[in-house]
Amino acid sequence: MAKKGGNKKDSVEPKSIQNRRARHDYDILESVEAGIVLVGTEVKSLYLGRAHLTDAYCKVVGGELWVLNMDIEPYELASFAQHERRRDRKLLVHRKEIVQLERQMMEKGMTLVPLAAYFKNGKAKLQVGVGRGRARYDKREKILTEESRKEADRARAGKF
């Protein structure tokens, strides 16, 4: 008897890039989905999941939203036309959302942080969060509450 679905090609699905450090360092109050303006090799490299958001941040310049320091590795199979790794990339967001984000950033301690990069309906998207920086003791408190919650869940499930 033959295997089910044996002749199907292995499809490569786009990878999602997460910025776990941002969730640790900031209290995310609100998030917005934005499109990214990319060149050809950047799209292919992002599709393969070869990007880093750890040092990236967002900024409103001249009424436009930009992501700075987002690292997209060069595409291996490209010939001579490669992109710059850490260039400034424009984000596509409605003007009303940009004005709202800019107002929130004016508050003390608020910043725009990229949370995730992913593909949605064939288009590259970046999830941008408005966050307030956490102090060191806040991070420790969060870790303690998470650990106690996990232990309580394990105790309820009867697993030790």
Side-chain angles (χ1 to χ4, degrees):
M1 185 170 214
K3 292 181 185 178
K4 292 182 181 178
N7 289 340
K8 291 185 181 178
K9 293 182 180 179
D10 292 332
S11 63
V12 178
E13 295 200 12
K15 307 283 187 203
S16 174
I17 294 109
Q18 301 293 323
N19 188 358
R20 288 181 267 154
R21 189 79 190 162
R23 301 241 183 231
H24 180 71
D25 290 342
Y26 299 96
D27 284 324
I28 305 300
L29 306 175
E30 184 181 339
S31 66
V32 175
E33 182 180 75
I36 315 172
V37 178
L38 300 172
V39 295
T41 56
E42 288 177 329
V43 175
K44 293 177 180 184
S45 191
L46 187 66
Y47 191 88
L48 295 174
R50 298 178 194 240
H52 308 284
L53 296 172
T54 51
D55 297 333
Y57 63 97
C58 297
K59 194 174 188 180
V60 178
V61 178
E64 296 177 336
L65 188 61
W66 293 80
V67 62
L68 310 165
N69 269 349
M70 182 177 170
D71 184 20
I72 298 179
E73 295 177 11
Y75 184 59
E76 299 167 350
L77 302 176
S79 57
F80 63 91
Q82 286 286 356
H83 62 272
E84 293 180 42
R85 274 183 90 124
R86 290 183 176 254
R87 70 176 185 89
D88 300 345
R89 294 169 179 90
K90 186 177 177 180
L91 298 178
L92 305 172
V93 185
H94 291 284
R95 185 155 315 278
K96 288 180 182 178
E97 291 176 331
I98 292 174
V99 170
Q100 183 182 8
L101 291 172
E102 197 169 21
R103 281 188 193 139
Q104 290 177 344
M105 275 184 45
M106 287 181 188
E107 291 181 32
K108 186 178 179 185
M110 302 297 273
T111 186
L112 287 174
V113 182
L115 302 173
Y118 52 91
F119 279 84
K120 183 176 179 182
N121 298 329
K123 300 203 178 356
K125 302 288 183 179
L126 186 74
Q127 185 179 15
V128 178
V130 178
R132 176 176 281 124
R134 279 194 186 139
R136 178 177 235 150
Y137 59 85
D138 290 339
K139 295 177 193 176
R140 282 188 247 138
E141 287 177 12
K142 183 183 177 200
I143 291 170
L144 287 174
T145 56
E146 285 293 318
E147 287 177 0
S148 63
R149 185 190 57 78
K150 286 178 184 177
E151 287 177 19
D153 290 344
R154 282 189 214 120
R156 271 189 241 122
K159 298 177 185 176
F160 292 98

